[in-house]
């Protein structure tokens, strides 16, 4: 069995385009660093490759649960609910040690607003 380096898996750096409510922004994160395991968002992307697209229909409250330890650049204050979040995988790469450590530190210090720390 050939193992593809172009799929989303643990400790890979993932770059996405995210679009919602007429806004579009990039989002980059290290996959699989949450202390509670994968977030539902990560489960949806696991094993996928560049070009993969996924749509989530969410309320603001559901978005918080979807991302858990991840802190995406979503600005939802003026968006009617429910809203559609479109995600497209742009790039997957090996995360270097500094990126992994930084991502783990950010996940552990995100506060009660996202994952209960």
């Amino acid at each position: 069995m050939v193992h593809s380096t172009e799929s989303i898996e643990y400790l890979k750096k993932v770059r996405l385009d995210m679009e919602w409510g007429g806004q579009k922004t990039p989002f980059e994160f290290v996959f699989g660093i949450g202390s509670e395991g994968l977030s539902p968002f990560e489960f949806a992307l696991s094993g996928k490759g560049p070009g993969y697209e996924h749509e989530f229909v969410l309320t603001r409250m559901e978005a918080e649960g979807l991302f858990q330890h991840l802190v995406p650049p979503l600005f939802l204050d003026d968006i009617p609910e429910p809203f559609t979040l479109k995600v497209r995988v742009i790039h997957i790469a090996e995360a270097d040690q500094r990126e992994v450590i930084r991502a783990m530190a950010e996940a552990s210090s995100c506060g009660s607003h996202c994952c209960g720390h």
Side-chain angles (χ1 to χ4, degrees):
M1 182 169 130
V2 176
H3 182 70
S4 171
T5 60
E6 287 296 314
S7 64
I8 297 173
E9 56 190 50
Y10 284 97
L11 302 182
K12 294 278 186 154
K13 182 172 52 174
V14 179
R15 187 172 57 220
L16 309 171
D17 272 343
M18 300 177 76
E19 185 176 343
W20 71 99
Q23 300 180 61
K24 187 174 182 179
T25 189
F27 176 46
E28 190 170 275
F29 67 98
V30 177
F31 183 86
I33 53 96
S35 62
E36 300 294 316
L38 295 179
S39 69
F41 183 75
E42 289 171 305
F43 270 116
L45 298 177
S46 182
K48 306 302 190 264
Y52 175 76
E53 296 180 357
H54 193 88
E55 285 190 9
F56 300 91
V57 178
L58 306 162
T59 64
R60 286 189 274 288
M61 190 78 133
E62 290 168 335
E64 187 174 298
L66 178 69
F67 291 102
Q68 295 178 352
H69 63 277
L70 299 172
V71 184
L74 295 178
F75 309 102
L76 304 175
D77 293 339
D78 299 324
I79 303 295
E81 295 183 293
F83 67 96
T84 300
L85 172 64
K86 297 177 184 177
V87 176
R88 184 168 200 268
V89 178
I90 301 301
H91 186 72
I92 303 162
E94 293 293 330
D96 68 34
Q97 211 171 13
R98 283 188 329 252
E99 291 168 320
V100 171
I101 292 168
R102 182 175 50 239
M104 291 174 75
E106 288 172 1
S108 68
S109 67
C110 65
S112 62
H113 67 280
C114 61
C115 62
H117 288 120

